[in-house]
Amino acid sequence: KTAVDAFKTATQQMNDNIFIITFRSESVHLIKGPRENFEYRYLNSMPKEGGTPLPLGLITARKVLSQERSRQKILVTITDGKPNESLTDKYSTGDPVDDSAREVREARRERINTIAFAAGDVDKSTMNRIYGRKNVVDIRIDDLSQELMKVYKNEILDLNR
């Protein structure tokens, strides 16, 4: 929660709009939309245990970002890299890792940069399979706030070149 707040504050200082989407236990929630105020009560209401519907979180984020007219779009995921719930659409492979990787590829086709922060007990090979090795940042949870901002600023600078 602290990292999300730090990230939100920094992006506001840079005059950027962000969306915050959480996913857990077969559900995805838009916590903050563009130009909306962030409220902790929404983040606090999310369950802490349960499955990881990463493919559904990625498709939701991609759809939301696709509707924005921003010149630069970055999809940042903070995860343990252990998706365990597949999509249920007709395109689902039945494998949550493959479904997640497909959604990352779709986001990139739509010119949405994707970065994943691997936090906790991470399955690095799965993370690399989903996001590609150069798009995964391995972090300690205690360093999440600082790492989020460092990578975000680097992405913004890279996109402006």
Side-chain angles (χ1 to χ4, degrees), residues 5-22:
D5 188 47
F7 187 65
K8 176 225 24 131
T9 300
T11 56
Q12 285 176 333
Q13 290 172 357
M14 296 172 75
N15 202 27
D16 288 340
N17 288 315
I18 64 168
F19 298 87
I20 300 173
I21 296 173
T22 61

Side-chain angles (χ1 to χ4, degrees), residues 4 10-11 26 43 49 58-59 61 71 104 111 115 128 145 148 151 155-156:
V4 170
T11 56
E26 300 179 8
L43 194 56
E49 301 296 323
L58 290 168
I59 197 169
R71 186 171 66 91
V104 167
R111 303 182 71 79
I115 301 169
N128 292 339
S145 295
L148 269 169
V151 171
E155 278 294 308
I156 294 299

Side-chain angles (χ1 to χ4, degrees), residues 140-155:
R140 289 179 340 107
I141 201 73
D142 295 341
D143 300 331
L144 183 58
S145 295
Q146 296 87 351
E147 288 297 317
L148 269 169
M149 285 317 305
K150 183 169 73 176
V151 171
Y152 180 75
K153 286 178 182 177
N154 286 340
E155 278 294 308

